[in-house]
Amino acid sequence: MLVIPKTGTDKLQFGMKQSDVILILGNPDKKFNDDDKNIIFLYNDLKLRLTFYEDEQFRFGYLISSNPDLVLFDLNVIGQDGLDVKNKLIFDGIKTWEQESFDSTENYFNESNWLTLQVEFGTIIRVEIGAIINDKDEFDWKFKG
């Protein structure tokens, strides 16, 4: 699965409705509402979690994955050394990172691409990516359908 910053993945674009995603991936293994009334789809085999924002007409706006086949630019990232991947991503234009520590994990967040690498014991265990908010304080939806 190719993750494309600011866009989504090779198959899913930020801004899609639930029905668009189901046409591509099929029905989720689990569907529920989070505390903010957003709809969450879980795809177990893909190790994929998708968020559809309630206040944006339930458009797809956030992805979390621990899929070992996940590719960011040309890098397989899950299971790789976090610092090594961060340094390699500099060549793809991702240069600034905010770092947060939580117990045994480190989160490396790049705001301009709304990208988070979650690292535990030095190894990337999951990637999170979200839709970008533009200068008008609105989501920059890539899917126009």
Side-chain angles (χ1 to χ4, degrees), residues 28-45:
D29 295 297
K30 185 175 182 179
K31 176 181 171 181
F32 64 94
N33 293 80
D34 67 10
D35 293 338
D36 295 321
K37 300 182 183 168
N38 301 314
I39 292 176
I40 308 298
F41 279 13
L42 298 180
Y43 290 92
N44 295 339
D45 289 346

mmCIF file of all heavy atoms in Angstrom, residues 28-45:
data_model
loop_
_atom_site.group_PDB
_atom_site.id
_atom_site.type_symbol
_atom_site.label_atom_id
_atom_site.label_comp_id
_atom_site.label_asym_id
_atom_site.label_seq_id
_atom_site.Cartn_x
_atom_site.Cartn_y
_atom_site.Cartn_z
ATOM 1 N N PRO A 28 -15.923 -2.970 5.702
ATOM 2 C CA PRO A 28 -14.917 -3.081 6.763
ATOM 3 C C PRO A 28 -15.229 -4.264 7.679
ATOM 4 O O PRO A 28 -16.370 -4.722 7.771
ATOM 5 C CB PRO A 28 -15.054 -1.759 7.511
ATOM 6 C CG PRO A 28 -16.456 -1.321 7.270
ATOM 7 C CD PRO A 28 -16.806 -1.811 5.885
ATOM 8 N N ASP A 29 -14.196 -4.751 8.371
ATOM 9 C CA ASP A 29 -14.387 -5.806 9.366
ATOM 10 C C ASP A 29 -15.123 -5.282 10.591
ATOM 11 O O ASP A 29 -15.832 -6.029 11.265
ATOM 12 C CB ASP A 29 -13.031 -6.388 9.785
ATOM 13 C CG ASP A 29 -12.356 -7.095 8.637
ATOM 14 O OD1 ASP A 29 -12.912 -8.094 8.150
ATOM 15 O OD2 ASP A 29 -11.282 -6.635 8.204
ATOM 16 N N LYS A 30 -14.957 -3.994 10.850
ATOM 17 C CA LYS A 30 -15.629 -3.376 11.982
ATOM 18 C C LYS A 30 -15.895 -1.922 11.636
ATOM 19 O O LYS A 30 -15.076 -1.262 10.992
ATOM 20 C CB LYS A 30 -14.760 -3.475 13.235
ATOM 21 C CG LYS A 30 -15.413 -2.974 14.498
ATOM 22 C CD LYS A 30 -14.527 -3.234 15.713
ATOM 23 C CE LYS A 30 -15.209 -2.785 16.983
ATOM 24 N NZ LYS A 30 -14.380 -3.039 18.162
ATOM 25 N N LYS A 31 -17.042 -1.423 12.087
ATOM 26 C CA LYS A 31 -17.425 -0.033 11.873
ATOM 27 C C LYS A 31 -17.987 0.478 13.192
ATOM 28 O O LYS A 31 -18.815 -0.182 13.810
ATOM 29 C CB LYS A 31 -18.484 0.044 10.770
ATOM 30 C CG LYS A 31 -19.029 1.415 10.505
ATOM 31 C CD LYS A 31 -20.087 1.354 9.398
ATOM 32 C CE LYS A 31 -20.800 2.669 9.254
ATOM 33 N NZ LYS A 31 -21.839 2.623 8.209
ATOM 34 N N PHE A 32 -17.527 1.647 13.639
ATOM 35 C CA PHE A 32 -18.030 2.217 14.881
ATOM 36 C C PHE A 32 -17.865 3.732 14.868
ATOM 37 O O PHE A 32 -17.195 4.280 13.996
ATOM 38 C CB PHE A 32 -17.336 1.595 16.097
ATOM 39 C CG PHE A 32 -15.852 1.859 16.173
ATOM 40 C CD1 PHE A 32 -15.348 2.926 16.900
ATOM 41 C CD2 PHE A 32 -14.946 1.013 15.527
ATOM 42 C CE1 PHE A 32 -13.984 3.165 16.970
ATOM 43 C CE2 PHE A 32 -13.587 1.231 15.601
ATOM 44 C CZ PHE A 32 -13.094 2.315 16.323
ATOM 45 N N ASN A 33 -18.472 4.379 15.851
ATOM 46 C CA ASN A 33 -18.325 5.820 16.035
ATOM 47 C C ASN A 33 -17.366 6.081 17.175
ATOM 48 O O ASN A 33 -17.452 5.423 18.221
ATOM 49 C CB ASN A 33 -19.675 6.467 16.354
ATOM 50 C CG ASN A 33 -20.626 6.407 15.190
ATOM 51 O OD1 ASN A 33 -21.257 5.382 14.956
ATOM 52 N ND2 ASN A 33 -20.725 7.477 14.445
ATOM 53 N N ASP A 34 -16.487 7.057 16.987
ATOM 54 C CA ASP A 34 -15.599 7.437 18.083
ATOM 55 C C ASP A 34 -16.306 8.468 18.971
ATOM 56 O O ASP A 34 -17.487 8.775 18.768
ATOM 57 C CB ASP A 34 -14.244 7.924 17.550
ATOM 58 C CG ASP A 34 -14.322 9.230 16.772
ATOM 59 O OD1 ASP A 34 -15.387 9.902 16.771
ATOM 60 O OD2 ASP A 34 -13.301 9.602 16.156
ATOM 61 N N ASP A 35 -15.601 9.014 19.941
ATOM 62 C CA ASP A 35 -16.197 9.958 20.889
ATOM 63 C C ASP A 35 -16.655 11.255 20.236
ATOM 64 O O ASP A 35 -17.494 11.967 20.784
ATOM 65 C CB ASP A 35 -15.206 10.283 22.014
ATOM 66 C CG ASP A 35 -14.926 9.077 22.889
ATOM 67 O OD1 ASP A 35 -15.753 8.139 22.909
ATOM 68 O OD2 ASP A 35 -13.875 9.070 23.561
ATOM 69 N N ASP A 36 -16.098 11.585 19.059
ATOM 70 C CA ASP A 36 -16.476 12.804 18.344
ATOM 71 C C ASP A 36 -17.554 12.554 17.292
ATOM 72 O O ASP A 36 -17.805 13.413 16.451
ATOM 73 C CB ASP A 36 -15.248 13.423 17.683
ATOM 74 C CG ASP A 36 -14.231 13.897 18.695
ATOM 75 O OD1 ASP A 36 -14.632 14.446 19.741
ATOM 76 O OD2 ASP A 36 -13.023 13.705 18.446
ATOM 77 N N LYS A 37 -18.147 11.362 17.305
ATOM 78 C CA LYS A 37 -19.191 10.956 16.365
ATOM 79 C C LYS A 37 -18.674 10.748 14.948
ATOM 80 O O LYS A 37 -19.454 10.707 13.996
ATOM 81 C CB LYS A 37 -20.372 11.928 16.385
ATOM 82 C CG LYS A 37 -21.030 12.025 17.750
ATOM 83 C CD LYS A 37 -22.217 12.947 17.721
ATOM 84 C CE LYS A 37 -22.788 13.053 19.133
ATOM 85 N NZ LYS A 37 -23.741 14.124 19.266
ATOM 86 N N ASN A 38 -17.346 10.662 14.786
ATOM 87 C CA ASN A 38 -16.778 10.292 13.501
ATOM 88 C C ASN A 38 -17.020 8.805 13.285
ATOM 89 O O ASN A 38 -17.151 8.049 14.242
ATOM 90 C CB ASN A 38 -15.269 10.558 13.467
ATOM 91 C CG ASN A 38 -14.941 12.013 13.711
ATOM 92 O OD1 ASN A 38 -15.559 12.903 13.145
ATOM 93 N ND2 ASN A 38 -13.973 12.254 14.575
ATOM 94 N N ILE A 39 -17.051 8.381 12.036
ATOM 95 C CA ILE A 39 -17.203 6.963 11.727
ATOM 96 C C ILE A 39 -15.825 6.380 11.442
ATOM 97 O O ILE A 39 -15.034 6.955 10.690
ATOM 98 C CB ILE A 39 -18.148 6.746 10.536
ATOM 99 C CG1 ILE A 39 -19.564 7.151 10.948
ATOM 100 C CG2 ILE A 39 -18.118 5.290 10.064
ATOM 101 C CD1 ILE A 39 -20.587 7.068 9.843
ATOM 102 N N ILE A 40 -15.551 5.243 12.058
ATOM 103 C CA ILE A 40 -14.276 4.557 11.908
ATOM 104 C C ILE A 40 -14.511 3.232 11.197
ATOM 105 O O ILE A 40 -15.408 2.477 11.574
ATOM 106 C CB ILE A 40 -13.634 4.267 13.293
ATOM 107 C CG1 ILE A 40 -13.567 5.541 14.153
ATOM 108 C CG2 ILE A 40 -12.271 3.610 13.115
ATOM 109 C CD1 ILE A 40 -12.728 6.653 13.604
ATOM 110 N N PHE A 41 -13.719 2.966 10.170
ATOM 111 C CA PHE A 41 -13.697 1.673 9.490
ATOM 112 C C PHE A 41 -12.407 0.969 9.871
ATOM 113 O O PHE A 41 -11.333 1.572 9.802
ATOM 114 C CB PHE A 41 -13.688 1.836 7.965
ATOM 115 C CG PHE A 41 -15.001 2.089 7.305
ATOM 116 C CD1 PHE A 41 -16.150 2.433 8.005
ATOM 117 C CD2 PHE A 41 -15.093 1.997 5.924
ATOM 118 C CE1 PHE A 41 -17.356 2.665 7.362
ATOM 119 C CE2 PHE A 41 -16.287 2.229 5.267
ATOM 120 C CZ PHE A 41 -17.420 2.565 5.979
ATOM 121 N N LEU A 42 -12.481 -0.305 10.222
ATOM 122 C CA LEU A 42 -11.301 -1.129 10.466
ATOM 123 C C LEU A 42 -11.253 -2.254 9.441
ATOM 124 O O LEU A 42 -12.261 -2.952 9.229
ATOM 125 C CB LEU A 42 -11.338 -1.738 11.859
ATOM 126 C CG LEU A 42 -11.332 -0.792 13.054
ATOM 127 C CD1 LEU A 42 -11.366 -1.590 14.346
ATOM 128 C CD2 LEU A 42 -10.133 0.124 13.022
ATOM 129 N N TYR A 43 -10.099 -2.426 8.819
ATOM 130 C CA TYR A 43 -9.842 -3.526 7.892
ATOM 131 C C TYR A 43 -8.706 -4.355 8.489
ATOM 132 O O TYR A 43 -7.542 -3.933 8.460
ATOM 133 C CB TYR A 43 -9.458 -2.995 6.510
ATOM 134 C CG TYR A 43 -10.613 -2.342 5.787
ATOM 135 C CD1 TYR A 43 -10.851 -0.979 5.901
ATOM 136 C CD2 TYR A 43 -11.471 -3.100 5.000
ATOM 137 C CE1 TYR A 43 -11.916 -0.386 5.246
ATOM 138 C CE2 TYR A 43 -12.542 -2.511 4.344
ATOM 139 C CZ TYR A 43 -12.762 -1.155 4.466
ATOM 140 O OH TYR A 43 -13.817 -0.573 3.816
ATOM 141 N N ASN A 44 -9.056 -5.491 9.072
ATOM 142 C CA ASN A 44 -8.080 -6.294 9.811
ATOM 143 C C ASN A 44 -6.930 -6.784 8.950
ATOM 144 O O ASN A 44 -5.770 -6.654 9.338
ATOM 145 C CB ASN A 44 -8.776 -7.483 10.484
ATOM 146 C CG ASN A 44 -9.762 -7.039 11.552
ATOM 147 O OD1 ASN A 44 -9.676 -5.935 12.077
ATOM 148 N ND2 ASN A 44 -10.713 -7.900 11.851
ATOM 149 N N ASP A 45 -7.225 -7.392 7.797
ATOM 150 C CA ASP A 45 -6.157 -7.938 6.959
ATOM 151 C C ASP A 45 -5.195 -6.864 6.474
ATOM 152 O O ASP A 45 -4.007 -7.119 6.307
ATOM 153 C CB ASP A 45 -6.737 -8.692 5.752
ATOM 154 C CG ASP A 45 -7.396 -10.008 6.147
ATOM 155 O OD1 ASP A 45 -7.180 -10.475 7.295
ATOM 156 O OD2 ASP A 45 -8.136 -10.569 5.319
#
